[in-house]
Amino acid sequence: MNPDIKAINEKVEQESIFVEKIKAEVSKVIVGQNYMIERLLIGLLSNGHILLEGVPGLAKTLTVKTLSESIKTKFQRIQFTPDLLPADLIGTLIYNQKEGTFTTKKGPLFSNLILADEINRSPAKVQSALLEAMQERQVTIGENTFPLEDPFLVLATQNPIEQEGTYPLPEAQVDRFMLKISVGYPTKEEELEIIRRQTRGTPATVNAVISPEEIISARNVVKDVYVDEKIEKYIIDIVFATREPAEYGLNDLKDLITFGASPRASISLTLAAKAHAFLNRRGYVTPEDIRSIGMDVMRHRVVLSYEAEAEDMSTEDVIRKVLNRVEVP
Amino acid sequence: MKRINFRAVHMLFWTVFLISRSILLAQHADSTSHQIHLKTFVEKDNVALNEEIIYQVELSWQGELDRYTIKDVGDPIVSNLTLRGSGSSNQLITDDQGQPKSIRRVTYYFKAIEMGMAYIDGLTIEYKDNLLKKTETLLAQRISVKIGEPTASMDDEFVPGTIMLWLLLAAFFIAVIYFLVRYMQRRQVDETDEVPITLEQKYLTLLRDTIHLTSGARKEIISELKKLLNSYISEKFSIPGNVDSAIVRDRLAELNIPQDMILKIETMYSKAELASFAGEEIEISELHLFYDSIEHVLETIDKNEQEK
């Protein structure tokens, strides 16, 4: 192996030990949902925010809460409601009558892990305040700008049903989430285990097994994970295939896609693939990493046309076709 | 009385002279007073409306061709005719006395405009006597042609030769079709006689023909080996799109490939990955091992399928 990549591999081996520990702690509370847990770790390692979508009762909130408990970090859960205000998120200035001055009251965003529960229940101004903080990683209250703590990770949930009285996130803002995870139902065996755990005995206690510093250190190793030129070209091909499907022999998708994935998708795909390789204890990215993470990176970035709706094609169907058709190096 | 007689004799003399001159001129309109002779004629003076009128102008003289220089004859003035084309030729022959004789012919082709009479006005031909160094002219007579009812053309007529030609062509095409059909039938028979090769045999041939372990970069060769196996699995199980190592592993297990062989294939995939995406070097012995593993896998599947 190339000496540099060998060194990265060794570093990855050392730094990724915590992954199994976290998984073990989370699994004390959460049954199954390995896919979701792995994606949350990818977000954590590649410094990318995550949008979780799934019907109620799939342990989205519980998983995020348990993950935060396994890390020695501050955790905030914000329930998004229609009457929520931006100040409720970022904080505000409060007038001190005694001293005659304004003092800053920081909002719940000043934390490490933020769970924005049902993000689509709040109006656009609140969503914008959150998404701006996600992008800039700083918050301005009054005349002062405060940097947010590192790690700063937003895990937002939204419910695909009950669209009444919701404010769907605009495409431009959804693009700021690195991954959009579709949370599925547990298997029969998993559900049986859930029943047993929830109805018998006392709930398990989750121990914090990793510090924020260790997460930041692991992130630096993830950044060093080697991406070969062939892999970079493969990423570009996948993203371009969503923009110009005909060039990749996907003529059937030509009229189904209104907007293809943005350059932010290429960046996110590379970063997420690096994190995926890290989780699999590798110091280099393979096409399997790209294929594995591709759906979660692009599902919220490809906008379908009315023709696609008429043909009952989902974004997942389109991306699956792209991933199957673009030649693997 | 004497005086009258003298005048009468005088007038008679002139009359006789003029008449005899005009008779002479009429008889030799195509001038025989020269050593050069002009002859003009139409091949037929009674033609059908749809027939061609061929008008010939022939100049002949004793001696070599360069004895006279004929100036450009030009086109004759015609009525009820249209000029279709013209041509000229020179000919040198030997006459009965064994003397050389030169002939220059100019031919005009006309088409009649309508029925009735058509006329070709007389031509004035200027020539130069190269021996005497003097220029003279010749006059040709006006010629009339009677234009009659159009006649049926050869195309409309029943021509036995044409029928024969058509029959020959038809026979030729029938023969071609017959041999083509026979050829196709024989080919079909040959194809059915051929023993169909199995998918495994097809990929074994591909492996042996296209992958040469000693030529080319090793990382490319291992990548080719991987692609060949992927392609086989994809075709065998009709899997659309890309096939990865996990799919290959599962499908090989379905095909009852021994576990140790599947492990070798898995090693090949991870080695190919390392070589392609992490700069790992590959030994030639490893390439041989992977080549042999794929060959063995394909042979085993082929054998198993034939035993079923």
Side-chain angles (χ1 to χ4, degrees):
Chain A
M1 193 185 290
N2 181 311
D4 296 338
I5 302 169
K6 198 172 181 182
I8 298 166
N9 247 8
E10 282 166 9
K11 260 180 158 179
V12 168
E13 283 282 340
Q14 287 165 14
E15 295 283 340
S16 61
I17 295 167
F18 77 88
V19 173
E20 290 310 314
K21 287 184 189 169
I22 289 183
K23 281 183 180 174
E25 286 303 314
V26 173
S27 64
K28 284 182 186 172
V29 178
I30 306 295
V31 180
Q33 298 295 10
N34 294 325
Y35 181 84
M36 177 167 54
I37 294 163
E38 192 181 63
R39 265 41 182 176
L40 291 177
L41 287 171
I42 286 172
L44 195 65
L45 289 168
S46 52
N47 206 10
H49 309 291
I50 296 172
L51 182 61
L52 296 154
E53 194 174 80
V55 292
L58 293 179
K60 298 187 291 289
T61 309
L62 185 63
T63 308
V64 175
K65 192 169 167 286
T66 312
L67 179 69
S68 68
E69 282 171 10
S70 68
I71 307 167
K72 292 170 197 159
T73 51
K74 286 183 269 177
F75 170 71
Q76 285 288 346
R77 178 188 170 178
I78 308 161
Q79 182 66 46
F80 277 54
T81 52
D83 59 347
L84 198 73
L85 294 170
D88 297 330
L89 288 181
I90 61 173
T92 189
L93 291 171
I94 295 173
Y95 183 67
N96 187 328
Q97 277 190 324
K98 273 187 189 170
E99 294 175 11
T101 54
F102 283 96
T103 52
T104 307
K105 171 92 174 83
K106 289 179 179 175
L109 277 190
F110 289 88
S111 187
N112 297 113
L113 281 179
I114 311 290
L115 174 62
D117 228 352
E118 297 195 86
I119 191 170
N120 56 340
R121 296 253 169 240
S122 280
K125 61 185 177 184
V126 183
Q127 290 173 1
S128 293
L130 173 69
L131 294 163
E132 197 182 335
M134 282 163 60
Q135 185 67 24
E136 306 298 330
R137 293 178 189 271
Q138 62 181 28
V139 165
T140 302
I141 304 169
E143 290 174 350
N144 299 314
T145 300
F146 302 94
L148 293 167
E149 290 174 52
D150 201 16
F152 173 70
L153 187 68
V154 174
L155 305 158
T157 67
Q158 67 177 13
N159 188 341
I161 55 169
E162 293 177 27
Q163 297 301 309
E164 192 75 27
T166 60
Y167 302 87
L169 292 168
E171 275 81 12
Q173 296 196 341
V174 177
D175 197 34
R176 291 181 191 180
F177 286 99
M178 180 190 239
L179 307 176
K180 182 181 176 185
I181 305 167
S182 182
V183 184
Y185 287 107
T187 61
K188 277 184 185 175
E189 293 76 23
E190 286 168 351
E191 194 136 348
L192 188 67
E193 181 62 25
I194 291 167
I195 295 169
R196 285 174 185 165
R197 282 201 198 176
Q198 294 295 319
T199 56
R200 291 177 202 169
T202 52
T205 314
V206 178
N207 301 311
V209 288
I210 184 170
S211 66
E213 291 75 28
E214 283 173 289
I215 296 280
I216 292 163
S217 168
R219 274 183 187 175
N220 290 332
V221 177
V222 168
K223 277 181 195 164
D224 289 341
V225 168
Y226 176 71
V227 183
D228 194 82
E229 207 180 312
K230 289 192 280 288
I231 298 288
E232 288 174 334
K233 197 182 162 297
Y234 182 49
I235 291 169
I236 298 293
D237 282 342
I238 289 172
V239 172
F240 269 72
T242 65
R243 298 178 203 165
E244 304 288 343
E247 281 184 24
Y248 294 83
L250 292 157
N251 289 311
D252 48 335
L253 299 186
K254 204 173 68 178
D255 299 324
L256 305 183
I257 301 173
T258 306
F259 297 106
S262 65
R264 208 180 258 156
S266 306
I267 299 165
S268 296
L269 200 49
T270 312
L271 289 171
K274 282 182 173 195
H276 191 265
F278 179 90
L279 291 180
N280 287 285
R281 300 195 163 197
R282 263 187 284 108
Y284 58 92
V285 174
T286 68
E288 287 309 308
D289 294 318
I290 309 292
R291 283 166 60 79
S292 173
I293 206 73
M295 182 66 82
D296 298 323
V297 171
M298 291 194 295
R299 92 161 29 99
H300 54 300
R301 292 185 161 105
V302 174
V303 181
L304 299 187
S305 63
Y306 289 114
E307 283 94 329
E309 271 184 45
E311 289 183 24
D312 205 19
M313 287 278 282
S314 66
T315 318
E316 279 84 358
D317 295 330
V318 169
I319 296 167
R320 209 167 288 121
K321 276 195 169 189
V322 168
L323 290 173
N324 273 335
R325 191 69 63 85
V326 174
E327 196 188 349
V328 178
Chain B
M1 181 70 189
K2 252 185 180 181
R3 195 176 170 183
I4 291 165
N5 287 342
F6 173 77
R7 280 188 71 184
V9 169
H10 189 253
M11 280 184 69
L12 183 69
F13 169 78
W14 277 109
T15 307
V16 169
F17 172 76
L18 284 171
I19 291 167
S20 61
R21 189 174 179 272
S22 66
I23 289 166
L24 272 169
L25 276 173
Q27 280 176 346
H28 304 282
D30 293 350
S31 192
T32 52
S33 62
H34 305 273
Q35 286 182 312
I36 184 164
H37 299 276
L38 171 64
K39 187 178 159 191
T40 57
F41 60 93
V42 285
E43 289 190 348
K44 280 165 78 180
D45 57 2
N46 193 347
V47 295
L49 184 64
N50 54 344
E51 269 186 80
E52 196 169 53
I53 297 139
I54 300 165
Y55 173 58
Q56 297 269 16
V57 177
E58 191 179 290
L59 291 145
S60 59
W61 61 88
Q62 293 294 328
E64 297 296 327
L65 278 166
D66 58 357
R67 170 79 167 80
Y68 296 99
T69 304
I70 312 296
K71 299 283 173 65
D72 184 28
V73 177
D75 296 336
I77 296 163
V78 292
S79 55
N80 194 24
L81 292 172
T82 318
L83 183 65
R84 299 280 298 273
S86 64
S88 65
S89 65
N90 290 317
Q91 197 180 5
L92 185 66
I93 57 167
T94 308
D95 63 9
D96 300 339
Q97 283 81 42
Q99 296 300 311
K101 187 181 178 184
S102 300
I103 302 168
R104 179 173 171 78
R105 283 194 192 89
V106 183
T107 312
Y108 297 90
Y109 303 92
F110 297 103
K111 188 89 180 163
I113 297 168
E114 57 187 26
M115 289 195 294
M117 290 305 292
Y119 299 97
I120 303 165
D121 281 358
L123 277 169
T124 302
I125 299 164
E126 199 177 48
Y127 70 95
K128 187 184 172 191
D129 187 334
N130 291 326
L131 195 67
L132 303 173
K133 306 283 183 206
K134 60 177 183 181
T135 304
E136 299 280 343
T137 52
L138 290 167
L139 292 169
Q141 278 186 331
R142 190 182 198 227
I143 290 176
S144 61
V145 182
K146 192 180 177 189
I147 311 297
E149 289 276 344
T151 55
S153 69
M154 288 289 283
D155 296 343
D156 302 333
E157 286 177 19
F158 172 80
V159 183
T162 314
I163 298 291
M164 280 299 290
L165 187 71
W166 279 110
L167 283 173
L168 277 170
L169 269 172
F172 172 74
F173 281 114
I174 289 166
V176 167
I177 291 164
Y178 171 76
F179 285 112
L180 207 67
V181 170
R182 281 291 302 273
Y183 170 75
M184 297 294 283
Q185 282 172 344
R186 199 170 297 166
R187 206 172 142 188
Q188 270 181 349
V189 170
D190 290 349
E191 274 175 8
T192 48
D193 288 350
E194 272 176 22
V195 180
I197 62 158
T198 61
L199 187 67
E200 290 71 28
Q201 283 163 352
K202 177 187 153 187
Y203 275 90
L204 276 168
T205 312
L206 265 177
L207 178 72
R208 287 161 189 158
D209 291 353
T210 59
I211 295 176
H212 306 288
L213 301 183
T214 48
S215 59
R218 288 177 191 167
K219 65 165 74 173
E220 296 299 326
I221 296 169
I222 197 168
S223 178
E224 289 300 316
L225 283 169
K226 191 182 86 170
K227 277 183 187 168
L228 187 129
L229 193 58
N230 281 351
S231 178
Y232 165 72
I233 294 290
S234 171
E235 203 174 332
K236 179 86 178 167
F237 293 94
S238 306
I239 301 169
N242 297 309
V243 170
D244 57 26
S245 57
I247 295 173
V248 172
R249 184 191 56 217
D250 296 346
R251 300 296 183 173
L252 289 180
E254 273 179 44
L255 291 164
N256 299 323
I257 295 298
Q259 201 55 39
D260 62 321
M261 197 51 69
I262 294 176
L263 272 174
K264 277 183 189 169
I265 298 292
E266 274 191 301
T267 312
M268 184 191 81
Y269 273 83
S270 49
K271 200 76 185 173
E273 240 171 34
L274 281 167
S276 298
F277 310 117
E280 175 99 343
E281 292 298 325
I282 296 169
E283 299 297 323
I284 187 75
S285 57
E286 288 177 306
L287 276 185
H288 278 286
L289 176 74
F290 299 141
Y291 183 97
D292 293 344
S293 302
I294 293 178
E295 197 175 35
H296 183 68
V297 162
L298 291 171
E299 282 170 350
T300 310
I301 298 167
D302 193 33
K303 198 177 151 196
N304 292 348
E305 301 273 306
Q306 283 181 16
E307 281 173 2
K308 273 182 190 174

